[in-house]
């Protein structure tokens, strides 16, 4: 089976398994797990923030961020296709009591003008804007690597209005790799950032929420409230430390995505969005088939991909697929459509 549904499907390698088996552990709710403490320090350093918090998932990190930066009833400004808006079960509303003001951002990022137009000043009738939420890479828009100047410009507009900025950086190291910039250039303008250890970096579990020490102190309490306070969690944090060693190792995934895109683009009935990182979006409307049908047919050829809406299929490359897998997947895609 060639599994291109997501970079979350990677399984831990031998180094990670060994690290898990031999990790020093303690009760992390008491702050006594040395492996978690090391992971939090190393993650904070990696993204250039004062402190970081280990959480079970990217979703929890984004929702903790929403909760700590805002007051109930405020508005959050976010791209219409952002993960936090589309795929987190309305968590902004359910968990932070926020109203979402959706923007069709330029490549998934609001421009300063769009932010300004969306900004709501608090008064007797209006709730006030409490947060700007950005995403890099932008998943639903095809793994777009958002350039530092786009982030800095809208973050400045938000800060001018005293609105904090959270960055969903589930694939932030993919963005830094594609843009060939230090990751801190992408995080400097924001107040908090989430990075996933369990996507392209290959860990089995976990994400990090990073920000100022004060922000992470509050996040720690909110993590407890959300049921994310864990005990001898160094067992799973240890592979997370290995994952942080992989941050400069993502270029092959991007190369495989380009290889796949080039192969699929030779099929006349489909339109392929040129990948910037490890995600390839393929519009199959020209085949006359539903995306679900194409995905089902691919499955019969032992290739897994994810439908994304009515016309688009998402393929995602990752460290568990090779160049040969990509060649095979391309051939089987043609066969599945035939
Ligand atoms: C951009 C983005 N943000 C957040 C998440 C949520 O991460 P998790 O699955 O760890 O909750 C994902 C997961 O695919 C994602 O792609």
């Amino acid at each position: 089976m060639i599994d291109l549904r997501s970079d979350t499907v990677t399984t831990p390698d031998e180094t990670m398994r060994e690290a898990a088996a031999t990790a020093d552990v303690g009760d992390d709710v008491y702050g006594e797990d040395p492996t978690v403490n090391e992971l939090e320090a190393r993650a904070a350093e990696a993204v250039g923030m004062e402190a970081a918090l280990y959480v079970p998932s990217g979703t929890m990190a984004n929702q903790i961020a929403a909760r700590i930066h805002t007051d109930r009833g405020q508005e959050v400004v976010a791209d219409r296709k952002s993960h936090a808006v589309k795929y987190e079960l309305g968590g902004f509303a359910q968990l932070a009591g926020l109203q979402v003001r959706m923007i069709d951002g330029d490549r998934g990022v609001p421009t300063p003008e769009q932010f300004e137009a969306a900004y709501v000043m608090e008064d007797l009738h209006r709730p006030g804007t409490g947060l700007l939420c950005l995403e890099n890479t932008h998943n639903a828009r095809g793994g777009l690597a958002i350039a530092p100047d786009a982030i800095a410009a809208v973050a400045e507009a938000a800060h001018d209005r005293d609105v904090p900025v959270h960055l969903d950086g589930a694939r932030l190291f993919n963005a830094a790799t594609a843009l060939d910039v230090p990751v801190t250039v992408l995080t400097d303008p924001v107040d908090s950032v989430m990075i996933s250890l369990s996507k392209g970096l290959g860990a089995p579990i976990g994400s990090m929420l990073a920000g100022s020490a004060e922000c992470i102190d509050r996040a720690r309490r909110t993590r407890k409230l959300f049921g994310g306070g864990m005990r001898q969690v160094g067992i799973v944090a240890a592979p997370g430390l290995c994952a942080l060693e992989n941050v400069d190792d993502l270029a092959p995934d991007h190369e495989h995505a380009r290889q796949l895109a080039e192969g699929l683009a030779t099929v006349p009935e489909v339109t392929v969005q040129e990948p910037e990182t490890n995600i390839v979006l393929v519009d199959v409307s020209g085949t006359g088939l539903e995306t679900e049908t194409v995905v089902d047919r691919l499955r019969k050829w032992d290739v897994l991909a994810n439908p994304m809406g009515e016309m688009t299929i998402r393929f995602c490359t990752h460290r568990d697929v090779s160049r040969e897998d990509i060649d095979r997947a391309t051939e089987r895609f043609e066969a599945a459509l035939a």
Side-chain angles (χ1 to χ4, degrees), residues 112-309:
E113 295 72 27
Q114 284 178 316
F115 175 80
E116 200 49 39
Y119 173 76
V120 169
M121 174 97 69
E122 184 185 324
D123 65 16
L124 180 62
H125 306 281
R126 302 184 348 139
T129 301
L131 182 65
L132 168 65
C133 186
L134 305 175
E135 183 174 317
N136 200 6
T137 65
H138 200 297
N139 173 11
R141 292 187 187 268
L144 298 183
I146 309 301
D149 54 350
I151 295 181
V154 70
E156 189 181 344
H159 288 150
D160 283 348
R161 294 290 197 175
D162 288 330
V163 173
V165 184
H166 172 67
L167 174 61
D168 173 344
R171 300 183 179 82
L172 191 63
F173 291 99
N174 293 87
T177 301
L179 297 163
D180 197 20
V181 295
V183 83
T184 48
V185 175
L186 301 168
T187 55
D188 276 350
V190 304
D191 301 283
S192 60
V193 58
M194 178 276 271
I195 55 165
S196 288
L197 303 171
S198 59
K199 298 197 170 69
L201 303 182
I205 296 170
S207 289
M208 310 301 302
L209 177 64
S212 68
E214 188 264 337
C215 160
I216 295 306
D217 277 351
R218 281 187 291 130
R220 200 173 292 281
R221 274 174 60 82
T222 307
R223 182 186 68 177
K224 190 74 174 67
L225 172 70
F226 287 177
M230 298 177 284
R231 303 296 177 175
Q232 285 72 29
V233 70
I235 296 282
V236 285
L241 277 165
C242 305
L244 284 181
E245 301 290 324
N246 294 335
V247 296
D248 293 324
D249 201 16
L250 294 164
D253 296 349
H254 299 183
E255 178 52 36
H256 290 152
R258 279 192 295 273
Q259 183 196 339
L260 181 66
E262 278 165 24
L264 299 183
T266 62
V267 179
E269 298 89 352
V270 303
T271 310
V272 183
Q273 180 178 319
E274 197 178 323
E276 296 185 7
T277 55
N278 67 331
I279 290 174
V280 183
L281 296 186
V282 181
D283 181 330
V284 295
S285 49
T287 63
L289 299 170
E290 309 253 322
T291 49
E292 299 283 353
T293 310
V294 176
V295 165
D296 284 348
R297 287 198 191 178
L298 279 171
R299 184 183 291 274
K300 293 199 178 96
W301 285 88
D302 286 343
V303 176
L304 301 182
N306 263 343
M308 234 186 186

Side-chain angles (χ1 to χ4, degrees), residues 79 103-111 114 138 141 144 146 150:
D79 181 63
I103 303 292
D104 269 314
D106 176 24
R107 288 170 45 86
V109 192
T111 61
Q114 284 178 316
H138 200 297
R141 292 187 187 268
L144 298 183
I146 309 301

